[in-house]
Amino acid sequence: MKFKLFSILLILAIFFGVIISSDHKQKPNFYKVDIQERAQIEKIYALMNEQKYDLALPLIEISLPKLLAKQSNDGSMIAWLYDMKAHVMASRYHFHYAIEAITKANQHKSDLRYRKLREEWLEEIDAMQGERQLRTSYISGRNAGLSQSLTNDIHIAYIYIDDNRSSKWSGKQRIKNQVSVDKVLDWYKQQASHYAIDELDFKVRYFVVNSPKGVGKEWLRDPAAFRQILNNLFKRLSFRGIGEFIEDIKGENKNSQVAIVFHSNYDGRSFAMSCPAGSRLYQCQYEYVMLTENINNTRLGWALPQVQAHEVLHLFGAKDLYNIAESKDYAVTDIMNYYSRDIKYATIDPISAWAIGWHKQPSTPFNIEK
């Protein structure tokens, strides 16, 4: 997933904070709506000014159809509600939905500010398309390797790489990271519930492995690093090889799925080595995630759960959407395509749900290669 997008989103967080805090000061004329709607509008206004956007949005969604159904209502109040919805969506980095809402606001009340916001948000979306043209199709990774589907029992071997120099892990840092992992697993379960998948059971075992000093991106991307790190772990725990290690991770349920995750406390670009569709363990033994995320990165730490969730989903079959030309305006909150401001706002849309074994294959604007 794109490390360079973090700097873009950091700028956006500041940029939208300025816009949102100023626009909410514009008090609507409450007397332009019926008295039975007035209290709801006043509550929305108060919540938006308090920046309680998650509480305001459901009330906006309730109020809009009511006002739209009453032809006598002044268009400016409907426009204001769409304006508020747009800013909630922008605060989540859901810019496509923000544009949709601000466009509707302008339809009900022509306003230069609405049109300027639309253009600015379109420009911000365009700024995120650095690798959009790399692919024209989606290459399926379903039912492959160790982690064939994100269903039933999932066992994760989470391995901290510690070289005592550029990638050091303190006990406090590991605890902080485990809070992030727990957040990811809760989010997986929440997303699974949308597809009637209710039997997800995660078990995570954490390990610390010493590595050569001076961890760098070249070494981490070398397949030899995978073998060297695991061999150090096997030697310490008396495993004879990867097969015995995997069986131990599975525990009593030999049909459970296994994901191997390495984490270097070092700033770089995280990646996943996943198996091609349909391959079995004997054909593809080197399937793992390599996280290179500094747990102490205070500017970008908000994105860590999304990076973890994104990369681990690769192991279960999900593929990147951010580099497919025709997916710019497709699955726009899917975690394989765009970042959200917080993982709770990200989604697993039908295309990724299909890839990880949750859903039937959806229609897509691009070809799917199986």
Side-chain angles (χ1 to χ4, degrees), residues 169-185:
W169 285 98
S170 67
K172 185 177 181 179
Q173 289 172 331
R174 295 198 300 270
I175 291 171
K176 182 178 180 180
N177 181 68
Q178 285 164 219
V179 170
S180 179
V181 172
D182 289 342
K183 191 174 184 179
V184 170
L185 301 184

Side-chain angles (χ1 to χ4, degrees), residues 14 38 76 94 122 142 194 200 203 214 219 281 302 337 365:
I14 299 169
R38 198 172 300 159
S76 62
H94 293 176
L122 283 169
R142 299 182 83 226
H194 298 318
L200 273 180
K203 290 183 175 62
W219 182 76
L281 181 57
W302 59 270
N337 202 3

Side-chain angles (χ1 to χ4, degrees), residues 7 56 85 108 120 169 178 194 207 211 219 231 268 278 330 339:
S7 58
K85 181 177 180 179
H108 287 275
E120 288 170 4
W169 285 98
Q178 285 164 219
H194 298 318
F207 306 88
S211 69
W219 182 76
N231 285 337
Y330 173 80
Y339 281 104

Side-chain angles (χ1 to χ4, degrees), residues 14-67:
I14 299 169
F15 175 68
F16 282 106
V18 172
I19 289 178
I20 292 169
S21 63
S22 61
D23 282 350
H24 295 166
K25 304 301 181 185
Q26 299 180 9
K27 190 173 183 178
N29 186 345
F30 299 121
Y31 293 97
K32 288 190 175 184
V33 294
D34 296 340
I35 192 168
Q36 59 265 37
E37 305 294 342
R38 198 172 300 159
Q40 186 92 310
I41 299 297
E42 289 177 342
K43 189 172 184 180
I44 292 169
Y45 173 72
L47 289 170
M48 292 297 290
N49 273 304
E50 294 169 9
Q51 298 188 13
K52 296 180 179 178
Y53 307 133
D54 291 353
L55 295 177
L57 184 59
L59 300 184
I60 294 171
E61 299 284 22
I62 291 170
S63 294
L64 271 171
K66 289 181 179 179
L67 294 187

